[in-house]
């Protein structure tokens, strides 16, 4: 999380019940963390909190009060407490590999009808997609355009 996101989450979690950070144990028996948002408080507590933050930020910007802005940023948004370091360890331990977006291809079949060829969201699927798209430019696995 960026410092501002972290600070915003911490302030919302310590505020009037808009956000609650819950530590639990997953189905695999390992620690887990999730963020619970009370949707009923978005329009009241959430809007008020964001409004107050933006007002303070705009006042600091418009008055060019660099000292106060720096103090607000370092004291409120960059400070990482032990509690959040504990959450981070749990989140990093549960991190899943980034998903690959492998785009499908359209082509005309032997009857001239449009068909969609899809591929797995994996490195192998990405290679298969490339080979399918570029097969007409290759002869025996060698690029003929080079």
């Amino acid at each position: 999380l960026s410092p501002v996101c972290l600070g915003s989450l911490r302030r919302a979690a310590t505020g009037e019940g808009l956000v609650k950070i819950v530590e639990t144990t997953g189905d695999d028996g390992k620690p887990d963390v999730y963020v619970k948002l009370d949707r009923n408080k978005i329009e009241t507590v959430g809007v008020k909190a964001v409004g107050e933050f933006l007002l303070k930020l705009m006042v600091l910007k418009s008055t060019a009060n660099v000292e106060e802005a720096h103090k607000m940023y370092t004291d409120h948004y960059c400070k990482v407490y032990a509690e959040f370091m504990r959450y981070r360890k749990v989140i990093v331990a549960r991190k899943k590999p980034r998903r690959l977006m492998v785009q499908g291809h359209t082509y005309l079949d032997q009857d001239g009808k449009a068909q969609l060829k899809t591929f797995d969201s994996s490195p192998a699927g990405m290679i298969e997609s490339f080979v399918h798209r570029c097969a007409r430019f290759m002869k025996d696995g060698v690029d003929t355009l080079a």
Side-chain angles (χ1 to χ4, degrees):
L1 289 173
S2 72
V4 173
C5 291
L6 178 65
S8 300
L9 177 61
R10 185 175 63 241
R11 295 190 97 186
T14 58
E16 301 173 32
L18 174 66
V19 174
K20 184 187 283 187
I21 301 172
V22 180
E23 292 183 78
T24 184
T25 303
D27 294 336
D28 56 2
K30 295 180 181 177
D32 205 353
V33 174
Y34 69 91
V35 177
K36 185 175 180 180
L37 173 70
D38 186 347
R39 292 177 184 266
N40 296 324
K41 294 185 178 181
I42 292 174
E43 291 184 17
T44 55
V45 176
V47 169
K48 180 182 172 193
V50 170
E52 288 172 357
F53 167 74
L54 291 176
L55 177 65
K56 186 172 185 176
L57 183 65
M58 295 315 298
V59 167
L60 293 173
K61 284 177 71 174
S62 63
T63 58
N65 192 341
V66 177
E67 290 175 14
E68 276 299 311
H70 186 267
K71 182 177 163 190
M72 180 180 84
Y73 185 74
T74 56
D75 290 352
H76 298 289
Y77 295 107
C78 287
K79 193 178 285 185
V80 180
Y81 296 98
E83 176 184 24
F84 278 84
M85 287 304 295
R86 190 174 67 247
Y87 298 153
R88 183 182 186 284
K89 286 179 183 176
V90 171
I91 292 166
V92 168
R94 290 194 162 274
K95 184 177 180 182
K96 295 178 182 171
R98 182 176 286 181
R99 287 183 17 180
L100 294 174
M101 173 60 181
V102 182
Q103 189 170 344
H105 299 185
T106 55
Y107 65 96
L108 298 176
D109 65 8
Q110 294 155 343
D111 299 330
K113 292 184 180 180
Q115 299 293 325
L116 175 65
K117 170 87 172 152
T118 58
F119 306 93
D120 287 340
S121 293
S122 66
M126 190 166 287
I127 293 169
E128 184 184 353
S129 167
F130 179 80
V131 169
H132 185 265
R133 184 178 67 241
C134 299
R136 64 178 180 216
F137 302 115
M138 301 178 88
K139 182 175 180 178
D140 298 326
V142 178
D143 188 351
T144 58
L145 292 177

